């Protein structure tokens, strides 16, 4: 039985954690001996909580707080990861590192002669103080790099490692429920999922809500209730916007939503493959995403959504109003959104992941090419539309 030491710094409910869960479940189903190193002190159960057939090894890591506290929390977490990987791994084992953050795992793996695979989902690297050592560690030590999108691949250079793009997907259980309930719900709200970071687009959403006082908005912030209360203390929040903390069940929100937004600042906060956008499209909800970043690989402007910078609130408002009041346009975009989401199949993701970690796979080069062509369809269509317009 092959042994895989999986490492993920923060067991939260972010998109990259969900994709890592899909990866680990795929490998566990294939009979791999999986040891997972992650933090065990999260306030809300993360996507990596209570996975079957996986042995847990917990570390302490505090995600939020002042800069000094975060600095030492991160440093201590790296030391803990280093010694745990050093203890668990041996020559020939595979160490699967999710994101660039747990770079201590890479150095321990090199000392023990283990094979190192990184899964990179985003271009924003936190904490910023450790950006250089995180990136250099991966460039020097990685044997394989798995990118979550071609956008992310274009932002990094790893000369030594074998490189693969494996597009993210949704769990089969989520897709089945989305298909079953896509036409349920009022479909009257505007939904956005974001963090509390300055570049996440929360301020722009507040402006949009003020400009559309008769429309109901829902904002889900990936933080605790106390953190949200502290952030908005002293601020005036429009009456037509409801704010929620981290949610365990997103289905009711997508069922109520008419349009789903990502207003993050593409120049500073380039989330590679916003999982909430893919979830929304699986429900047939048109989306609005930034002009840059992995999210726009899912969207062809004017076909299944719009690509608009969150800074242009008035432009966003016009497109939202258009979708709310033009029923034929909404129906066309809804069908297109579902079509795109249906291309990101869990079977494709699983087959490609097995190809990375297992020998003797039947996943042929011909099949890989077919999958790549299907998954890049929205981006390819956008290029065609741009060429036609010029």
């Amino acid at each position: 039985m092959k042994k895989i030491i999986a490492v993920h710094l923060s067991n939260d409910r972010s998109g990259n954690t969900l994709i890592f869960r899909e990866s680990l479940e795929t490998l566990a189903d294939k009979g791999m001996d999986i040891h997972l190193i992650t933090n065990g002190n999260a306030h809300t159960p993360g996507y990596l909580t209570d996975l079957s057939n996986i042995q847990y090894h917990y570390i302490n890591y505090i995600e939020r707080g002042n800069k000094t506290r975060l600095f030492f929390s991160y440093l201590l977490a790296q030391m803990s990861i280093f010694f745990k990987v050093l203890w668990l791994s041996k020559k020939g084992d595979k160490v699967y590192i999710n994101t660039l953050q747990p770079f201590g795992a890479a150095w321990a793996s090199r000392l023990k002669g283990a094979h190192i695979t990184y899964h990179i989902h985003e271009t924003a690297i936190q904490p910023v103080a450790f950006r250089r050592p995180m990136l250099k560690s991966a460039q020097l030590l990685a044997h394989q790099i798995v990118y979550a999108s071609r956008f992310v691949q274009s932002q990094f250079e790893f000369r030594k490692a074998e490189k693969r793009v494996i597009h993210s997907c949704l769990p089969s259980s989520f897709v089945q429920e989305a298909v079953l309930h896509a036409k349920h719900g009022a479909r009257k709200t505007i939904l956005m999922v974001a963090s509390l970071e300055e570049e996440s687009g929360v301020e722009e959403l507040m402006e949009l809500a003020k400009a559309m006082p008769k429309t109901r908005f829902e904002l889900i912030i990936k933080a605790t209730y106390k953190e949200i209360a502290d952030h908005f203390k002293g601020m005036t929040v429009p009456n037509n916007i409801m704010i929620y903390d981290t949610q365990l069940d997103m289905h009711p929100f997508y069922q109520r939503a008419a349009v789903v937004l990502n207003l993050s600042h593409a120049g500073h906060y380039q989330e590679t493959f916003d999982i909430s956008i893919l979830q929304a499209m699986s429900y047939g909800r048109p989306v609005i995403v930034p002009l840059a970043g992995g999210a726009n690989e899912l969207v062809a402007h004017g076909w299944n959504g719009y690509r608009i910078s969150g800074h242009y609130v008035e432009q966003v408002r016009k497109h939202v109003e258009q979708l709310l009041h033009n029923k034929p346009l909404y129906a066309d975009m809804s069908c297109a959104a579902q079509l795109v989401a249906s291309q990101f199949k869990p079977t494709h993701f699983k087959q490609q992941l097995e190809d990375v970690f297992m020998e003797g796979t039947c996943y042929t080069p011909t099949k890989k090419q077919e999958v790549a062509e299907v998954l890049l369809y929205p981006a390819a269509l956008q290029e065609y539309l741009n060429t036609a317009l010029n």
Side-chain angles (χ1 to χ4, degrees), residues 127-196:
V128 176
F130 288 93
R131 178 185 175 91
R132 185 174 176 82
M134 281 191 278
L135 190 55
K136 283 294 182 183
S137 296
Q139 289 171 334
L140 288 170
L141 305 175
H143 297 101
Q144 283 182 313
I145 300 288
V146 174
Y147 298 105
S149 72
R150 295 203 177 278
F151 169 76
V152 174
Q153 184 183 33
S154 70
Q155 301 301 300
F156 293 102
E157 186 176 1
F158 296 95
R159 295 180 180 177
K160 296 181 179 181
E162 176 189 344
K163 294 168 281 291
R164 300 283 296 275
V165 176
I166 301 180
H167 289 271
S168 303
C169 73
L170 297 173
S172 299
S173 58
F174 187 97
V175 175
Q176 290 167 3
E177 187 162 351
V179 171
L180 189 63
H181 298 290
K183 294 185 179 180
H184 295 182
R187 284 189 278 181
K188 291 182 178 180
T189 65
I190 309 302
L191 174 66
M192 189 169 93
V193 182
S195 69
L196 283 175

Side-chain angles (χ1 to χ4, degrees), residues 67-97:
K67 291 184 179 179
T68 303
R69 185 186 184 193
L70 285 174
F71 180 89
F72 285 105
S73 175
Y74 182 79
L75 198 60
L76 290 171
Q78 294 305 316
M79 295 173 62
S80 181
I81 288 170
F82 176 87
F83 286 111
K84 285 184 183 295
V85 173
L86 202 65
W87 171 58
L88 288 168
S89 65
K90 63 180 185 299
K91 188 173 183 178
D93 287 342
K94 296 192 175 184
V95 176
Y96 182 17
I97 304 172

Side-chain angles (χ1 to χ4, degrees), residues 185-383:
R187 284 189 278 181
K188 291 182 178 180
T189 65
I190 309 302
L191 174 66
M192 189 169 93
V193 182
S195 69
L196 283 175
E197 293 181 35
E198 186 179 348
E199 301 86 3
S200 66
V202 170
E203 290 185 13
E204 285 77 7
L205 187 72
M206 296 294 164
E207 289 182 39
L208 184 64
K210 290 176 184 176
M212 301 176 66
K214 294 182 179 180
T215 303
R216 179 182 170 87
F217 289 79
E218 291 188 324
L219 171 62
I220 298 175
I221 296 180
K222 293 178 278 190
T224 64
Y225 179 82
K226 183 181 183 305
E227 289 166 340
I228 295 169
D230 290 343
H231 179 83
F232 286 99
K233 189 175 182 180
M235 294 175 60
T236 302
V237 178
N239 294 329
N240 59 329
I241 185 166
M242 290 293 295
I243 301 176
Y244 301 86
D245 59 0
T246 302
Q247 296 295 301
L248 300 181
D249 182 9
M250 290 293 296
H251 290 284
F253 294 92
Y254 291 122
Q255 290 169 20
R256 291 195 294 266
V259 181
V260 177
L261 309 178
N262 177 339
L263 302 180
S264 60
H265 303 179
H268 303 281
Y269 186 77
Q270 295 178 342
E271 187 168 357
T272 166
F273 203 89
D274 187 350
I275 205 70
S276 69
I277 295 301
L278 188 57
Q279 289 174 334
M281 292 199 302
S282 70
Y283 264 94
R285 305 308 188 240
V287 297
I288 294 178
V289 301
L291 291 168
N296 70 29
E297 290 189 17
L298 300 170
V299 178
H301 187 79
W303 184 60
N304 63 326
Y306 295 105
R307 296 175 171 186
I308 308 170
S309 171
H311 294 295
Y312 298 104
V313 175
E314 178 59 20
Q315 199 173 354
V316 173
R317 184 195 67 78
K318 288 180 180 178
H319 283 295
V320 170
E321 294 274 15
Q322 187 180 34
L323 286 167
L324 291 176
H325 298 108
N326 189 331
K327 290 184 178 179
L329 173 66
Y330 186 91
D332 288 345
M333 282 201 173
S334 177
C335 289
Q338 280 187 310
L339 177 62
V340 171
S342 70
Q343 307 304 302
F344 292 80
K345 301 179 187 296
T347 51
H348 292 164
F349 177 85
K350 291 176 181 179
Q351 286 171 329
Q352 292 178 94
L353 193 77
E354 289 168 16
D355 192 34
V356 170
F357 286 95
M358 301 174 65
E359 288 83 22
T361 178
C362 61
Y363 200 48
T364 65
T366 302
K367 185 65 178 175
K368 291 176 194 173
Q369 186 177 0
E370 289 174 6
V371 171
E373 288 172 357
V374 171
L375 294 182
L376 285 174
Y377 179 66
L381 177 62
Q382 185 64 56
E383 290 180 11

